[in-house]
Amino acid sequence: MATAAAAVARRAGARAAAALLSACGTAARGWRRAGPARPLCTAPGTAPDMKGYLWERYREAKRSTEDLVPSIMNNLLNPDAIFSNNEMSLSDIEIYGFDYDYTLVFYSKHLHTLIFNAARDLLINEHRYPVEIRKYEYDPNFAIRGLHYDVQRAVLMKIDAFHYIQLGTVYRGLSVVPDEEVIEMYEGSHVPLEQMSDFYGKSSHGNTMKQFMDIFSLPEMSLLSCVNEYFLKNNIDYEPVHLYKDVKDSIRDVHIKGIMYRAIEADIEKYICYAEQTRAVLAKLADHGKKMFLITNSPSSFVDKGMRYIVGKDWRDLFDVVIVQAEKPNFFNDKRRPFRKVNEKGVLLWDKIHKLQKGQIYKQGNLYEFLKLTGWRGSKVLYFGDHIYSDLADLTLKHGWRTGAIIPELRSELKIMNTEQYIQTMTWLQTLTGLLEQMQVHRDAESQLVLQEWKKERKEMRWHQLNKEACTLGAKL
């Protein structure tokens, strides 16, 4: 999510690094030859002052960075913009599809507190967990999406795209695990592919690592950490695998037993953020002759009340197909489940479905049957969802649909990256990296001491930046 904004700073840093060419006229690449290196501006017969030369290059880089920051501040990314990873013309799109939760409808901060409290109570009342865990409350700043949880070791962490654990982001309970302990625990900081979960939380090692990609998983991570914290603080011997399963089941039951749905329906204004533009966008698509469909895991009555609130009583007139309780991601992969029609009272009918009709609501089904009944295939379809894996990945890779990821966190992260402090830090960090790359050819002892100081500065900058960015594990770092 941070790629677009960080690229601005990287390009600026590269330009600053390129400005390190000496005023005496010899490029840095001229130093990449065999034999002892000589500073550019040393008079013949004098001993080279490598320390002075390197620090002068450092000061030049600083000045170049400071000169670049104002121009970067004039070319900030728009936090409300749409970012495209592939070329696409909307004139070629004939069918628009939508998920419901966190795509058409967005929830207030109260929802995750509701899920956390309800799952915590289920742990106490149905799984016989200590009543003392009720003292823990949901902290919205503790975790973000995309973190990994080691089920056997009961630790939550951030792992990058190259499978390296980001030291300083590893939590056991509510406390940071020291870097030395993490390295000893994993025999380094790399987690092998076979220990990582796949898109749906499975691995060849039996769920060794679970990645939390759903927005609804934020209270689950917090609850896991809070219960772990209680057991650790009270020296209670427990099985981490059992805790993981019990918390997972409790979070699931908040949905399956209708606890969350009933609470939202009872106070819809508290939990659903009204979006006045939703109706206008959907109506505009319909007026231009576009087909539209809705595929959601949520139940019929819940979706109906939410859509009535944000779109209007006639919301179903805008959609050509409405599918509820689809059980994604199985909907996209399981060919066995046929569609069932749901009547106005929510009763499931036994009729065989030969056509998906406008104005009707269908339950379950599968994508292969959906494609057969509608003929909506390939790049003329654009589907929007919030879960990159269970909503979007298979549709693109297997069926050629165009997809759009709704990522609420991106807006707040871009706002942080547009701040002058962030831009200054990232531009100098990239410039300093370029400076190190250019000057690492100087192998004499005096030069190496200077380079070590630069490396230390870069390491400290990275650590402080990691603690400030929105893409780290929680605000507690």
Side-chain angles (χ1 to χ4, degrees), residues 110-124:
H110 302 292
L111 179 60
H112 288 165
T113 300
L114 166 68
I115 296 172
F116 179 93
N117 291 342
R120 182 194 59 197
D121 292 344
L122 286 172
L123 280 179
I124 295 170

Side-chain angles (χ1 to χ4, degrees), residues 47 50 170:
M50 292 306 302
V170 182

